[in-house]
């Protein structure tokens, strides 16, 4: 495992990012479900699969319903990736590394925990869900803002960024994969208004709609959207952007180390092997297969970082 302080920072920010990203995934599910009313509650199977929590959900519930899926992803203590579980784990890690954080970051983290716990104290109605999801995003964003505005750019900040961008890359890949799991009614629907609305929802889920319009104007279809979220290094939630930040922060931590750390070599491999091609090559490989490979590589990198810095205090 990582050294105590490094590990606390790494996981604190992974959990904060995961709480926000789970809220984004639920919002994507809500929007996509509205485009396919005939699919009913089974639509939420897609969201659980994309979020990687379907197997655990099946052990707790006999059938997938909208209410059960949303409650599982928002509030369930049995789900370690639920928003409530993540925000509690983030605060617990923040307490362990309290002296490594500024007062502003600690206060924002504590406020986020208290507010989100209050909002999720009872089951969230469909009417209240948009406001609750917005609250989750705003409070986690406040912690991120306080981090950027008050923390020294030292090794503490590097571990913060590693946790953040590992989790963010994972989430962007999973939200893109929603489009694979949300099966269109028929092949003939590809390119129709239904297909376009679903791709628009993917952009909204990662707060990329405005940036995409600046880059492509009113045009742009599935290939352009995928390129924007996978390969564009100026889009702060794209896979390429996140991997670039992982590499730069590992490079800072790598100073004074003899030889190349395995985690650094793995990030370099990920970028060369998967993020140095054009979008046509990605689609030729198969978007779902490409994303599965990316998720597997990110998981290996996360474990290797913990090994490389297990004695880092």
């Amino acid at each position: 495992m990582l050294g105590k302080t490094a590990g606390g920072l790494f996981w604190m920010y992974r959990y904060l990012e995961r709480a926000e990203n789970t809220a984004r995934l639920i919002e994507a599910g809500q929007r996509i479900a509205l485009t396919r009313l005939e699919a009913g509650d089974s639509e939420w199977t897609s969201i659980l699969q994309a979020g990687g929590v379907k197997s655990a959900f099946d052990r707790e519930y006999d059938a997938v319903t909208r209410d059960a899926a949303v409650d599982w992803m928002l509030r369930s203590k049995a789900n370690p990736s639920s928003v409530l579980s993540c925000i509690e784990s983030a605060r617990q890690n923040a307490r362990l590394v309290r002296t490594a954080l500024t007062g502003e970051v600690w206060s924002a983290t504590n406020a986020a925990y208290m507010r989100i716990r209050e909002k999720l104290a009872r089951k969230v109605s469909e009417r209240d869900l948009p406001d609750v999801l917005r609250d989750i995003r705003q409070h986690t964003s406040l912690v991120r803002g306080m981090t950027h505005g008050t923390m020294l750019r030292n090794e503490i900040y590097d571990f913060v960024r590693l946790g953040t961008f590992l989790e963010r890359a994972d989430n962007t890949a999973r939200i893109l994969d929603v489009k694979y799991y949300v099966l269109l009614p028929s092949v003939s629907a590809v390119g129709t208004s239904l297909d376009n609305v679903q791709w628009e929802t993917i952009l909204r889920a990662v707060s990329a709609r405005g940036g995409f319009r600046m880059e492509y104007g009113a045009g742009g279809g599935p290939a352009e959207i995928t390129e924007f979220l996978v390969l564009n290094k100026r889009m702060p939630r794209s896979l390429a952007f996140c991997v670039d930040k992982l590499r730069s922060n590992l490079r800072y931590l790598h100073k004074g180390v003899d030889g190349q750390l395995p985690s650094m070599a793995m990030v370099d491999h990920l970028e060369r092997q998967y993020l140095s091609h054009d979008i046509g090559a990605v689609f030729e490989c198969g978007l779902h297969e490409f994303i599965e490979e990316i998720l597997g590589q990110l998981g290996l990198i996360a474990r290797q970082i913990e090994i490389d810095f297990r004695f880092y205090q």
Side-chain angles (χ1 to χ4, degrees):
M1 295 297 292
L2 285 169
K4 182 179 177 181
T5 301
L9 292 163
F10 180 77
W11 279 104
M12 172 190 170
Y13 281 84
R14 284 201 74 173
Y15 282 126
L16 278 170
E17 189 73 22
R18 190 176 300 179
E20 177 180 343
N21 293 338
T22 299
R24 290 177 180 276
L25 193 58
I26 294 170
E27 183 177 24
Q30 188 82 339
R31 288 181 180 275
I32 288 179
L34 291 174
T35 71
R36 296 185 59 200
L37 296 178
E38 76 284 353
D41 288 335
S42 63
E43 190 70 34
W44 287 90
T45 300
S46 306
I47 302 304
L48 293 169
Q49 287 173 325
V53 295
K54 178 65 165 55
S55 297
F57 178 90
D58 288 341
R59 290 193 291 270
E60 298 288 327
Y61 295 91
D62 294 328
V64 175
T65 66
R66 177 212 166 272
D67 288 346
V70 171
D71 198 59
W72 173 258
M73 297 181 77
L74 274 182
R75 303 174 60 245
S76 178
K77 294 291 185 70
N79 176 12
S81 292
S82 72
V83 171
L84 187 58
S85 295
C86 286
I87 206 69
E88 288 177 346
S89 296
R91 183 175 181 266
Q92 181 62 31
N93 277 281
R95 291 178 65 185
L96 292 174
V97 296
R98 174 69 184 85
T99 56
L101 304 173
T102 61
E104 291 83 355
V105 172
W106 165 251
S107 294
T109 303
N110 205 41
Y113 164 74
M114 295 177 70
R115 177 65 170 172
I116 293 171
R117 187 179 64 170
E118 177 188 353
K119 285 283 189 178
L120 300 181
R122 59 190 62 84
K123 201 167 186 178
V124 179
S125 68
E126 188 169 5
R127 183 192 65 183
D128 294 336
L129 184 60
D131 288 339
V132 170
L133 297 177
R134 184 164 52 249
D135 250 13
I136 293 166
R137 291 199 310 271
Q138 287 176 347
H139 279 280
T140 53
S141 294
L142 180 60
V143 179
R144 188 163 58 245
M146 289 299 181
T147 301
H148 294 333
T150 67
M151 297 275 285
L152 286 175
R153 271 37 175 186
N154 56 11
E155 67 277 4
I156 290 174
Y157 190 74
D158 291 327
F159 283 111
V160 162
R161 301 277 276 182
L162 288 178
T164 297
F165 285 109
L166 263 172
E167 199 65 38
R168 187 175 295 179
D170 181 275
N171 174 72
T172 296
R174 290 184 184 280
I175 286 183
L176 261 174
D177 217 22
V178 167
K179 198 62 179 85
Y180 169 81
Y181 285 115
V182 177
L183 300 176
L184 292 166
S186 68
V187 175
S188 62
V190 175
T192 65
S193 59
L194 171 60
D195 191 31
N196 294 335
V197 166
Q198 290 179 351
W199 278 107
E200 183 86 0
T201 296
I202 299 300
L203 280 175
R204 287 177 180 272
V206 292
S207 300
R209 185 170 178 269
F212 182 78
R213 296 301 172 214
M214 291 179 190
E215 192 82 357
Y216 292 96
E224 289 77 18
I225 291 172
T226 304
E227 181 177 40
F228 192 63
L229 298 183
V230 173
L231 301 175
N232 192 304
K233 289 191 175 182
R234 296 186 298 173
M235 195 279 160
R237 288 186 174 273
S238 77
L239 297 180
F241 184 96
C242 292
V243 170
D244 184 63
K245 295 303 178 185
L246 288 176
R247 187 181 58 199
S248 63
N249 284 279
L250 279 172
R251 187 185 302 120
Y252 293 136
L253 289 168
H254 186 266
K255 289 178 180 177
V257 176
D258 294 331
Q260 188 180 41
L261 290 170
S263 54
M264 186 73 173
M266 292 169 74
V267 170
D268 286 343
H269 169 75
L270 173 59
E271 187 168 47
R272 287 195 312 270
Q273 185 72 19
Y274 298 97
L275 301 175
S276 299
H277 307 290
D278 61 32
I279 202 62
V282 172
F283 276 105
E284 186 176 344
C285 164
L287 182 58
H288 175 63
E289 290 74 17
F290 173 82
I291 288 173
E292 283 193 322
E293 289 284 339
I294 291 284
L295 290 172
Q297 291 293 316
L298 290 171
L300 292 173
I301 289 168
R303 287 191 287 275
Q304 190 61 50
I305 286 173
E306 294 199 79
I307 293 170
D308 287 350
F309 297 100
R310 61 190 179 278
F311 301 121
Y312 201 109
Q313 300 297 327

